[in-house]
Structures are given as C-alpha cells and as structure tokens.
Amino acid sequence: MQLYKSQNLKVHNSLSGKKEVFKPLNEGHIGMYVCGPTVYSNVHLGNCRTFMSFDMIFRYLRHLGYKVRYVRNITDAGHLVDDAEDGEDKIAKKARLEQLEPMEVVQRYTVDFHNILEKFNFLPPSIEPTATGHIIEQIEIIKDIIKKGYAYEINSSVYFDVSKFNDSHEYGKLSGRKLEDMIANTRELTAQDEKKSPQDFALWKKAEPQHIMRWPSPWGDGFPGWHLECTAMSTKYLGETFDIHGGGMDLKFPHHECEIAQAEASNGLSPVKYWLHANMLTLNGKKMAKSTGNNILPGEIFSGENNILSKPFSPSVVRFFMMQAHYASILDLSNEALLASEKGFNRLIEAMDTLAKLETKESTDFDFNAWKQQCYDAMNDNFNTPILIAHLFDVVKHINLIKDGKESITSEHKQALQQSMHSFVFDILGLEQNSDNNKDSDKLEGVVELLIQLRNEARSNRDFATSDTIRDQLAALGIQLKDGKEGTTFSIS
C-alpha cells in the first residue's frame, strides 16, 4: 500500500539547516545509510539511541510503503583512538591489551551489538557491510582522488588535500564551518607532522612495524582512513547519490564533512540528498563517560545490576522512554524518567488490551479519521514521536471513557482503531508487549485479586477498618479499586 502518496513527509536536512519536503531520487524507493558502531567495546547506550532513531525512521518509511534499502556498516578497522589522524586503531589497541587477535575483538563486540539491538526490537538493516570487507573499493577510490588532484602521497600514507579541494568546492558546508576559520584556529604544524595542512585527513595510513591490522596497497602496507570506509560502503550499495545519510550529531564534523569531500572529489557529485542527525543522550544531567563513572550499559539497565537505577527496566520501557523525545533533541536519562516511562508504557499497553474487550454500539463519539491523521501529521513532521505519543494517550482517554460507559464506539471504528494502534505502537515505534511484561502483569493481577477477595471478606464481616486499609494502601501504590454492580475492578495509574 503506497501511503506515501497521500502523506506529506518533511525532514530536517542538516545540509540546508531547514525542513524540506521529502522526495526520494527514485519514486517509491529509498536508499539510507547510517554510520554503524566501531566494535571494540560493548555498545554504548548513546549509540543505541542513535541507531534506535534510525530504526524508527526505517520502520516509518516502510510503513508508508517505500521500498527501503537500509545500509548500516560495522567499523572493524581504521578508526583511530580519539578520532585522530595518528595513534592506535581502537580495535588493535583493545586486542593488544587483552592479548587477542583483532578479529576476536570484532567478533565479540559485534555479537554484543546484535544481541542488544535484538532486545530493543530493532529491524535488521538490508545490508551490514564491514570496513575490512571493502579494502579493495577503498583503494580504488583513493586512486581516483589522487588522479583528480585532490590527494597526495607522502611516506607511504595518502592524505586528502583540503585546501586544494576547497578551491573549487565548499569544505565545511554541512557543519557550517569555514576553512579560513579552521586554519586560523589551528596551531602550527610540528616538524614531525607529514601533512601539508592540519586540516588534511588520511585516506590511507602507513602501518608501522608494530601495527597488527594491515593490508597491501599501491603505497605500501597500511590501513584505510576511517572517513573513507563509509564513502566506499555507502556508494557501493546505494549509488553515487542516495537519499538519506544518518548518524549521531557528533559525526557531523569531521566524519560526515569528510565523506562529502571524498565523494565530490572522486565522482563530482554531492553524495546525499538529506542528511539527518540524532542528538546525544545524557545521564542525570551530565555527559555519559566511562572515565567519570557517569555511564550505564544497556544490559545493566535490563538486569538492574548497576548503582544508578532503583530497579531493572525492560527494553521496551527504555525504548518508549527514548521515543518520548524528538530524535534531534538532547535526552536526559534518569531513574525518575524511566519510572515515569514505565508507568506510561504500562498505561498504553493496558489500554490496548482494554480496547480489544470493549463492547460496541451503533454510534460513536470518537472521530477516528481525524485522530489517525493527527498521528500521521506528527510523524510527517520530521518523525515527531513525542507528538505521536501524545496523540496515542488522547485515544487512551477515549478508551477508558468508553469502558466506563461515558462514550461509545462502533464495531467498524473499534476494528480500525485496533489496527492503527498496532501500527503506531508496535510497527512504527517498535515497542513490544513481551512475555516478561505479561508474566509480571499476570502476577500483579493475581495479587490484587487476592487483596480484593480479602477486602470483600472484611466488608462482609463489617471490618471496615481492614477494608479501608486495603483500598487506601493499594491507592498509595497507584492501584485504584472501583466497586460496581458486577463486583470490584481495579486500574493502575
């Protein structure tokens, strides 16, 4: 179903700095590339947020009926410590410290990455290429850039000549930086630096004798530059120009800026139509960092084995928490925020269960079509999930009013509402009503039913003090009892 023909999707393009009507290069087809992880450690929660944002975008584009080729790479070589031009490869450093083969490190943390993303209910990308699997393509691009005059070889390394490129192109157009300002703000080159300019970046680095990860090239044994890998993999699978390139805000400069320069130098074309950037995740109001201890891994949230949170939280609750903020805004994770998200998530899932059991009538008080379009309008406004969630809770109120007999719904509208709720909650936001949640819910229901039974016995024995105590203490826990003709029911706020 080609829903995209009836929906007016707009995205915020980092390249233009404004919202633009989304129009793919080829109607009905989308090519999307997202910079994946460097697999030298357990996947960072902040990275999970970025990948989750693009999983949501991937889901929505597919929901609209687009055929999407989604490429998300694995960086398994070439990413130097501190994103620098010199120093150790992150994976090689980990391998040296743990006395492992580099590919053992890659395998261990790639498996961890996939396991965590599976728990978060990510859809797999269409293609997941690795940097080491595309060395030949990277060498060919370097040859082409040298041939066009935008790169130079020195001491078996190859560097991109940023000043030469900037003579005929605009280096810095994505991040809004001017080369003259960058040069003015850079300290003088040291005598040991072999680059012509501090702004030049490596396309190929000579491997010193102690460097474990190395490949033969026309310039000698070495390894590719980090920026080059994404240019090679994105253009191989999506073409010289493609629709969407995503990644974290921290990659805008220099990584994505360098990708643009490499592609334009190589084939003369701007590689990407729409650049999308996800913002960072903070923890208790501060930047997440291992060095300060202000850090938590996804697995530690799920297990509760940490000294930051009061209890474990399920992957769907964490995902719901992240979807409550716009992907381009900073989001702060805290114990209080997760507890609030857990309550909200449970209310949403309970309402969907209630909806399935609602009795229908011949007339309806609920304007289903207007509500449904409001949900699409939210997603069409640069994937605004917090506004979508607000509209979902509008319908939660209606469901509870219908349950209480204060509003009505027809059979046709009930069926349509169930289908739309399923689409927005499960298919687009990617939430799950998993078995662990169901088991906990069943246990809670059993305990509350037992307390209702004890309360009823107390009331029949005219022990109103005990009866009131049970009711009041449940209310304090957020569980409201409601006495009616059919007996006592409960709801959780």
Side-chain angles (χ1 to χ4, degrees), residues 8-133:
N8 187 31
L9 174 62
K10 291 182 180 180
V11 301
H12 185 273
N13 189 350
S14 298
L15 192 59
S16 66
K18 59 187 179 184
K19 283 183 192 173
E20 299 176 10
V21 173
F22 179 74
K23 189 175 180 184
L25 295 164
N26 300 299
E27 187 181 341
H29 293 75
I30 294 172
M32 181 168 82
Y33 184 88
V34 172
C35 294
T38 301
V39 282
Y40 71 102
S41 65
N42 297 106
V43 64
H44 190 276
L45 191 62
N47 288 342
C48 286
R49 187 201 176 192
T50 294
F51 302 135
M52 191 179 292
S53 296
F54 288 100
D55 179 67
M56 172 271 295
I57 289 169
F58 179 38
R59 285 168 173 275
Y60 186 59
L61 295 174
R62 293 204 333 171
H63 174 79
L64 289 179
Y66 287 110
K67 186 174 181 182
V68 187
R69 177 177 287 175
Y70 174 23
V71 182
R72 186 187 65 216
N73 75 296
I74 295 284
T75 296
D76 56 355
H79 192 167
L80 302 187
V81 174
D82 297 326
D83 303 341
E85 286 297 314
D86 295 295
E88 258 185 303
D89 181 292
K90 289 186 174 186
I91 290 160
K93 181 180 179 181
K94 187 79 167 186
R96 179 176 57 78
L97 291 172
E98 298 194 9
Q99 296 185 311
L100 298 169
E101 276 290 325
M103 285 302 133
E104 283 185 85
V105 173
V106 165
Q107 179 68 10
R108 175 191 295 176
Y109 294 115
T110 300
V111 168
D112 168 73
F113 174 67
H114 287 149
N115 286 342
I116 293 297
L117 265 54
E118 187 178 348
K119 284 186 170 74
F120 275 130
N121 195 33
F122 279 50
L123 296 176
S126 315
I127 304 172
E128 192 173 53
T130 63
T132 56

Side-chain angles (χ1 to χ4, degrees), residues 124-142:
S126 315
I127 304 172
E128 192 173 53
T130 63
T132 56
H134 296 77
I135 299 293
I136 293 170
E137 289 85 349
Q138 293 173 74
I139 288 172
E140 290 305 310
I141 292 174
I142 296 171

Side-chain angles (χ1 to χ4, degrees), residues 409-467:
I409 191 168
T410 65
S411 177
E412 181 186 356
H413 276 137
K414 174 183 169 179
Q415 189 176 356
L417 185 56
Q418 282 181 285
Q419 187 178 354
S420 288
M421 287 288 281
H422 189 282
S423 293
F424 288 118
V425 174
F426 299 135
D427 298 343
I428 295 169
L429 292 179
L431 304 176
E432 282 188 298
Q433 190 173 7
N434 56 46
S435 57
D436 287 344
N437 285 341
N438 291 340
K439 285 174 188 172
D440 290 344
S441 179
D442 290 344
K443 288 175 186 174
L444 176 62
E445 188 171 339
V447 170
V448 176
E449 291 293 350
L450 175 61
L451 288 168
I452 289 172
Q453 186 181 331
L454 292 173
R455 178 171 172 264
N456 288 340
E457 287 176 7
R459 290 169 79 190
S460 64
N461 293 329
R462 304 187 66 79
D463 182 0
F464 297 115
T466 300
S467 168

Side-chain angles (χ1 to χ4, degrees), residues 469-488:
T469 299
I470 292 172
R471 182 198 62 207
D472 295 343
Q473 291 196 4
L474 284 173
L477 295 169
I479 301 169
Q480 275 77 39
L481 301 184
K482 185 177 180 183
D483 298 317
K485 293 177 184 177
E486 305 297 319
T488 303

Side-chain angles (χ1 to χ4, degrees), residues 272-285:
V272 179
K273 192 171 181 183
Y274 304 98
W275 285 90
L276 273 58
H277 288 94
N279 217 322
M280 67 187 293
L281 182 72
T282 58
L283 178 59
N284 291 324

